[in-house]
Amino acid sequence: MVKKITIDGMTIGEGRFVLVAGPCVLESLELALEVACEVKKICDGLGLGYIFKSSFDKANRTSIYSFRGPGLEVGLRWLEEVKTKVGVPVLTDIHEPNQADMVSSVVDIIQIPAFLCRQTDLIMSAAKTGKPLNIKKAQFLSPYDMRFVLEKAKESGNDQVILCERGTTFGYKQLVVDFRSLSIMRSFGCPVMFDATHSVQMPGGQGASSGGKRQFVLPLSRAAVSVGIDALFMEVHPDPDNAKSDGPNMVALSNLRGLLEELIALDDLVKNKLGCVEIEEA
């Protein structure tokens, strides 16, 4: 039985997938509001739940000279404005245990980055806020290992956990997606999310920054939806080629509606006629 998580009237773990989307990093308040407004309009028209996502700090950029974001205090102010002005829940990631309480005062979901998903103190601090968590599976972990990550959150008093697949390291500068991981992690009783844009990332693929192949976002998303997912993560931007972080793998805002229409049609078929692929507890 999958734990259902309710956020602002939408349920993650039952029915249609919920979309988690926004620019990779907070570049400006104006951009955040623009993206949140447009994506909300699209999702409202398609009958899709929507959660805005963006990072106040990209602490794991390839180069020390890369843009990281506005920082914790300014970033949280911007996220709060998006939340109140657009009327959508918000998600952002934390990198240090001492960020958890401040971030939890604003956001609806705390995200644990893939590189940090084994950091016990970070997970415990986030879990103790009582906020739902989205924990990304590390590029170097098997889905079976996420059982122990989940256990850390539960032992800290929080069972509102989403586990997120975002690709696995396959040699240098390449990721592959093992779609078995969605069924395996869902067998732990958690909703699962598929990160469609980081799964097509090429870490360090442009030398001082990551590359990516956004043309594979749709086929990988179709595959994930066909298995059965509870949430879909996509980073979107009005002008990905000029974005300050992760541009090569982000979806252009102008292409989002058509992409979602295809995925909703498939999701409705799976959920209404076939059902999510269920396996015995892994």
Side-chain angles (χ1 to χ4, degrees), residues 1-7 12-13 108-112 117 123-124 126-128 130-137 146-164 185-186 188-193 230-231:
M1 180 69 69
V2 170
K3 167 77 175 178
K4 298 175 180 63
I5 299 173
T6 302
I7 297 168
I12 300 175
D108 299 275
I109 302 178
I110 296 175
Q111 180 168 283
I112 304 297
C117 76
I123 292 170
M124 292 177 66
K128 287 176 181 178
K131 292 287 184 176
L133 309 182
N134 179 42
I135 306 179
K136 291 194 170 185
K137 180 180 75 64
M146 293 303 287
R147 179 196 300 277
F148 305 107
V149 176
L150 175 62
E151 187 177 73
K152 292 177 183 180
K154 287 185 172 181
E155 286 297 313
S156 302
N158 194 335
D159 64 353
Q160 297 185 92
V161 178
I162 304 160
L163 297 179
C164 181
M185 293 192 296
R186 208 168 190 269
F188 302 155
C190 287
V192 293
M193 183 183 300
D230 305 291

Side-chain angles (χ1 to χ4, degrees), residues 43-198:
C43 288
D44 285 350
L46 295 174
L48 201 61
Y50 171 51
I51 298 167
F52 176 82
K53 178 272 166 186
S54 198
S55 299
F56 58 80
D57 180 21
K58 299 301 291 185
N60 61 350
R61 295 302 305 272
T62 303
S63 170
I64 195 170
Y65 302 109
S66 297
F67 179 77
R68 287 182 55 167
L72 178 61
E73 293 187 9
V74 172
L76 288 180
R77 287 204 299 271
W78 291 358
L79 288 169
E80 192 162 30
E81 286 211 45
V82 169
K83 183 175 179 175
T84 55
K85 289 185 176 179
V86 183
V88 292
V90 297
L91 173 153
T92 200
D93 37 8
I94 63 172
H95 302 88
E96 301 173 10
N98 60 14
Q99 295 174 339
D101 285 340
M102 186 178 294
V103 169
S104 71
S105 69
V106 173
V107 307
D108 299 275
I109 302 178
I110 296 175
Q111 180 168 283
I112 304 297
F115 284 128
L116 300 176
C117 76
R118 283 170 58 106
Q119 297 300 106
T120 302
D121 290 344
L122 183 66
I123 292 170
M124 292 177 66
S125 296
K128 287 176 181 178
T129 66
K131 292 287 184 176
L133 309 182
N134 179 42
I135 306 179
K136 291 194 170 185
K137 180 180 75 64
Q139 301 90 325
F140 49 83
L141 283 185
S142 84
Y144 299 100
D145 294 327
M146 293 303 287
R147 179 196 300 277
F148 305 107
V149 176
L150 175 62
E151 187 177 73
K152 292 177 183 180
K154 287 185 172 181
E155 286 297 313
S156 302
N158 194 335
D159 64 353
Q160 297 185 92
V161 178
I162 304 160
L163 297 179
C164 181
E165 167 62 42
R166 54 92 70 232
T168 301
T169 300
F170 185 71
Y172 296 126
K173 305 182 188 300
Q174 292 286 341
L175 299 172
V176 295
V177 179
D178 178 359
F179 289 99
R180 293 177 302 173
S181 70
L182 295 168
S183 295
I184 291 167
M185 293 192 296
R186 208 168 190 269
S187 76
F188 302 155
C190 287
V192 293
M193 183 183 300
F194 179 62
D195 182 342
T197 46
H198 285 106

Side-chain angles (χ1 to χ4, degrees), residues 177 179 182 194 218-229 232 266:
V177 179
F179 289 99
L182 295 168
F194 179 62
L218 179 57
L220 291 185
S221 297
R222 279 184 173 183
V225 169
S226 71
V227 173
I229 56 173
L232 179 66
L266 182 57

